[in-house]
Amino acid sequence: MTFSFSEISGRKPLFMAVYTVVFAGIIFSALFVLSSFRAVTPPSFDEVSKFPRSRSKLPAMDRPNSPTPLSNPTNRLEKQIWDAPAFGSKMPPSETFRLTKNLVEQRVKDNVIIVTFGNYAFMDFILTWVKHLTDLNVTNLLVGAMDDKLMEELYWKGIPVFDMGSHMKTHDVGWGSREFHKMGREKVFLINSILPFGYELLMCDTDMVWLKNPLPYFARFPEADVLTSSDHLVPTVSDDRLELWKEAGSAYNIGIFHWRPTNASLELAKKWRDLLITDDSIWDQNAFNDLLRAKQGPSFGNDGLFYAFNGYFKLGILPTSIFCSGHTYFVQRVAEQLNLKPYAVHTTFQYAGTPGKRHRLREGMLFYDPPEYYNSTGGFLSFKPSIPKSMLFNGKHDITNHFLLVNYQIKQVRTALAVALLLNRTLVMPPIWCRLDRLWYPHPGILPGTLTKQPFICPMDHVFEVNHMLDELPEAEFGQMIDFREYSFLENPLLPKKVKESWISVELCEETSASCNSNKADAINFPKNSSEEKFIQVFSLYKDIKVIQFSSMENVFQGFTDKDKETKFRKRVKRYTGIWCCVENHIPGHIYYDIYWDEKAGWKPNPPEKREDDHTPL
């Protein structure tokens, strides 16, 4: 805005206004400078998510204010985590991000460094990983950036980061791809780079979170060269001891393992690296297992350690009840059953790629999303699932009864998706109850020896294709995308107060009943089998309400009036359901969930007889 200062004489009010503005600016600036000397409280994750992204590339008017640094150290790694660089500062030279002993030394505590790494596609996982550790007051951590974009983003958020020099692509590379295997090899190279510095190394994948400070636990086993997590599903101990190595024969999982810089571990790391260099077809985890299993036993001492690899290498298997896989945490809930508190959760044993990992952590309320995730523009739609007790408990826990239970819920979800589309709301998924587990291979329904209860709330990716539900499909062919949230969403402590307090309940009623015409301030009655027009007419009055919760989704909607919308809806949601795997003694053993199962007379949960019939429902 500009001011005309012509004919200033005689305009004292204007002069006073100008001086007042200038004086106020001076006072404000002084207060701002003084505030920089105050101690800064570590920011909440909501605040962290608002930090500038690639600040050097943002125009000045788009740059939000950053927290004032606690100090102005000569080295960026001496700053507190989440202490973002000062507003207006420049990105340091690239050489300052190189991995050196001096760089690691500045983050080490009690001779331990905790490291994860990834590319930009895992940015939100990395922020979640760091946030969990800093909430536990664990700060001796470093993040390896496999691309420049991630390195810049983490730097501007105050995360101690180093350049791995990997020159990886910034998108999700996908499990099993060539880039995925390259990422695994980079982990092995990284271990070989850090161990010679002489520090203990806790190496972690980014798709896991820490729930409890693990360092005191690792300190209980000072003789161990390596303590590794495991894919074993049957707990061999009921407390926090290491697994009984003779009984825990499943693959060692390299998503979480603790290394000491001993001669034995240095030898293992080198042989592991050399093996991967000579044959790029080998999966890094398989190579790790092969090396360690070349020679096993006997036990070392009485605390669960045993000899492996070269005969003098000492290994321990972390208890899967508290260093949890995606199965022991989300399916069996072993720690809960044994009254133990988990240290870690790794999102293994899931079926929807990276989106599935993200959703698993959200279901467990372990993932940190930005504020907008918890306050969708159009508001949310939820419902109370209705399941007959007989479907949960009567009869055998077999394939027939499992599908009877799951299909009953799928039909309700299908209706809820249609209502969410009509009202342009985000659907809060209900918990899905299952009788049988899902795995990649034939099994009897529940693996013998596991602690899986029947029935159990199964992860959403056991039934629904979470990754396909998030696919960006052309609206001309598939209609509008239907956003969704995890079943625990409305109980999440991160849900803002304005969402929690903007809520209305919807009770279904018979249209001819007197109760159908009476409403309350926080509850309305709504007729069963309502039309598309009726939904829009009634709920347009509540468009500013954040959460609309239906008492049921049974017989609530009579179907689309707009046939084009219905066609597109059907085409979209047919992609949403997955498979149950797998029937024993039958190849192929898949049984496909069908979101329109009830429209197919005589539908039964049978696997296909021929391989050419092994495909999603038409």
Side-chain angles (χ1 to χ4, degrees):
M1 178 181 290
T2 57
F3 293 94
S4 172
F5 290 97
S6 60
E7 300 178 358
I8 288 178
S9 60
R11 297 192 179 185
K12 291 184 179 180
L14 177 59
F15 249 87
M16 290 300 295
V18 172
Y19 280 125
T20 301
V21 171
V22 173
F23 184 75
I26 294 171
I27 294 297
F28 178 79
S29 299
L31 290 173
F32 180 82
V33 171
L34 287 172
S35 70
S36 67
F37 294 98
R38 297 184 300 172
V40 176
T41 302
S44 68
F45 200 82
D46 284 359
E47 292 168 330
V48 168
S49 66
K50 296 176 184 176
F51 285 0
R53 299 168 64 89
S54 297
R55 191 180 314 183
S56 60
K57 300 177 182 178
L58 287 174
M61 66 180 66
D62 293 334
R63 298 178 187 172
N65 290 332
S66 302
T68 306
L70 287 171
S71 60
N72 186 27
T74 56
N75 193 298
R76 60 185 175 82
L77 292 172
E78 295 174 5
K79 298 172 69 174
Q80 290 192 12
I81 298 175
W82 304 116
D83 182 6
F87 181 73
S89 60
K90 295 181 179 180
M91 188 82 178
S94 58
E95 56 266 22
T96 64
F97 293 93
R98 291 174 185 161
L99 180 63
T100 63
K101 182 176 181 179
N102 180 58
L103 181 145
V104 176
E105 185 177 35
Q106 293 171 67
R107 297 303 320 174
V108 164
K109 183 178 180 182
D110 298 328
N111 208 50
V112 179
I113 187 68
I114 309 172
V115 176
T116 194
F117 66 99
N119 67 344
Y120 182 75
F122 283 84
M123 172 81 168
D124 52 352
F125 283 91
I126 291 170
L127 294 178
T128 294
W129 183 86
V130 173
K131 183 65 166 61
H132 274 281
L133 282 173
T134 55
D135 282 352
L136 295 168
N137 200 31
V138 177
T139 58
N140 47 323
L141 62 91
L142 277 170
V143 178
M146 305 186 80
D147 61 76
D148 291 343
K149 187 175 183 180
L150 176 66
M151 188 173 71
E152 290 189 23
E153 294 281 2
L154 293 180
Y155 170 76
W156 291 118
K157 291 183 184 295
I159 307 296
V161 60
F162 64 92
D163 182 9
M164 292 179 63
S166 306
H167 307 294
M168 283 279 291
K169 298 176 181 177
T170 59
H171 61 257
D172 185 4
V173 296
W175 193 94
S177 67
R178 185 180 181 86
E179 290 292 315
F180 171 84
H181 287 294
K182 178 184 176 183
M183 188 176 286
R185 282 162 168 70
E186 292 289 328
K187 176 196 292 185
V188 183
F189 299 153
L190 187 54
I191 291 170
N192 276 273
S193 296
I194 295 177
L195 275 184
F197 295 158
Y199 307 119
E200 295 179 30
L201 170 64
L202 174 53
M203 176 64 71
C204 320
D205 285 353
T206 58
D207 61 340
M208 59 81 56
V209 296
W210 292 104
L211 306 181
K212 188 177 175 182
N213 182 358
L215 300 183
Y217 185 89
F218 298 138
R220 287 168 47 183
F221 308 97
E223 300 294 332
D225 294 300
V226 167
L227 297 168
T228 181
S229 59
S230 167
D231 287 337
H232 202 66
L233 297 183
V234 179
T236 65
V237 294
S238 59
D239 50 23
D240 66 349
R241 289 174 296 158
L242 296 175
E243 295 286 359
L244 304 178
W245 67 272
K246 291 182 180 179
E247 299 177 25
S250 301
Y252 306 135
N253 190 291
I254 60 174
I256 306 170
F257 49 178
H258 177 270
W259 294 67
R260 284 195 172 84
T262 62
N263 290 333
S265 63
L266 285 164
E267 181 183 343
L268 173 66
K270 183 178 183 301
K271 287 198 174 183
W272 189 16
R273 179 196 63 195
D274 293 345
L275 184 60
L276 296 178
I277 290 174
T278 57
D279 187 350
D280 62 5
S281 67
I282 300 176
W283 182 24
D284 56 335
Q285 182 164 289
N286 285 349
F288 180 78
N289 276 266
D290 290 344
L291 287 169
L292 287 176
R293 295 178 190 278
K295 184 175 182 180
Q296 287 191 296
S299 297
F300 174 84
N302 299 313
D303 57 2
L305 298 178
F306 62 101
Y307 289 105
F309 175 47
N310 55 13
Y312 58 88
F313 181 95
K314 295 179 286 296
L315 181 66
I317 306 172
L318 297 169
T320 59
S321 59
I322 49 180
F323 291 86
C324 307
S325 68
H327 198 281
T328 60
Y329 188 85
F330 293 104
V331 178
Q332 296 187 60
R333 304 177 189 269
V334 175
E336 181 181 318
Q337 294 195 59
L338 297 180
N339 197 30
L340 300 171
K341 184 175 180 181
Y343 282 91
V345 181
H346 190 190
T347 54
T348 54
F349 290 90
Q350 65 83 40
Y351 308 93
T354 302
K357 294 173 182 285
R358 191 178 284 111
H359 193 83
R360 283 281 187 99
L361 293 175
R362 286 170 172 165
E363 285 183 331
M365 294 187 284
L366 301 175
F367 201 76
Y368 291 101
D369 283 290
E372 55 267 24
Y373 181 82
Y374 302 96
N375 190 13
S376 176
T377 303
F380 303 97
L381 171 76
S382 72
F383 71 97
K384 298 177 181 178
S386 173
I387 306 174
K389 185 178 178 181
S390 60
M391 285 190 179
L392 288 166
F393 301 109
N394 288 6
K396 295 181 179 179
H397 291 296
D398 57 16
I399 291 173
T400 298
N401 286 321
H402 169 76
F403 272 84
L404 186 68
L405 170 63
V406 173
N407 280 348
Y408 193 83
Q409 298 170 86
I410 285 177
K411 185 177 178 180
Q412 295 178 51
V413 171
R414 184 184 76 202
T415 302
L417 288 165
V419 174
L421 176 64
L422 286 179
L423 304 184
N424 195 29
R425 286 181 172 265
T426 296
L427 175 63
V428 179
M429 290 289 292
I432 304 296
W433 286 88
C434 294
R435 283 184 178 237
L436 303 182
D437 200 352
R438 175 181 177 178
L439 293 163
W440 294 276
Y441 48 85
H443 63 95
I446 297 295
L447 293 183
T450 60
L451 301 185
T452 307
K453 293 182 177 181
Q454 293 175 279
F456 62 99
I457 295 177
C458 52
M460 184 176 159
D461 57 77
H462 274 208
V463 175
F464 289 91
E465 297 285 273
V466 176
N467 48 336
H468 292 319
M469 293 176 73
L470 294 168
D471 286 343
E472 295 184 8
L473 303 172
E475 287 194 17
E477 185 178 358
F478 294 92
Q480 182 180 331
M481 183 176 179
I482 308 166
D483 204 1
F484 65 95
R485 295 291 185 268
E486 63 281 2
Y487 72 82
S488 57
F489 177 77
L490 295 175
E491 284 74 50
N492 197 310
L494 296 177
L495 195 70
K497 184 179 179 182
K498 62 183 176 182
V499 174
K500 293 178 181 178
E501 295 180 350
S502 181
W503 189 298
I504 193 163
S505 298
V506 180
E507 294 290 334
L508 298 183
C509 56
E510 299 294 339
E511 190 168 17
T512 56
S513 67
S515 64
C516 231
N517 296 316
S518 61
N519 295 321
K520 299 178 182 178
D522 60 349
I524 65 171
N525 292 305
F526 187 69
K528 295 180 180 179
N529 296 306
S530 288
S531 65
E532 181 177 339
E533 292 77 14
K534 182 71 171 179
F535 268 93
I536 295 172
Q537 173 195 343
V538 171
F539 291 103
S540 62
L541 303 174
Y542 300 95
K543 63 180 184 299
D544 294 329
I545 298 294
K546 289 295 182 182
V547 181
I548 295 177
Q549 184 177 68
F550 280 76
S551 60
S552 174
M553 275 293 155
E554 292 189 283
N555 304 314
V556 66
F557 180 44
Q558 66 178 226
F560 291 97
T561 305
D562 185 333
K563 295 305 177 184
D564 180 60
K565 181 183 288 187
E566 181 180 22
T567 299
K568 293 174 180 177
F569 172 80
R570 292 175 70 94
K571 193 168 185 178
R572 174 178 286 276
V573 300
K574 279 183 178 181
R575 299 167 48 89
Y576 282 9
T577 47
I579 61 171
W580 183 79
C581 186
C582 298
V583 177
E584 290 187 296
N585 304 316
H586 194 289
I587 297 175
H590 300 145
I591 303 178
Y592 288 84
Y593 295 107
D594 188 340
I595 202 164
Y596 285 103
W597 65 271
D598 55 316
E599 296 182 359
K600 298 175 180 178
W603 186 95
K604 294 184 182 300
N606 296 324
E609 291 299 326
K610 299 176 293 184
R611 287 193 179 276
E612 52 264 36
D613 296 327
D614 188 16
H615 55 72
T616 56
L618 301 177

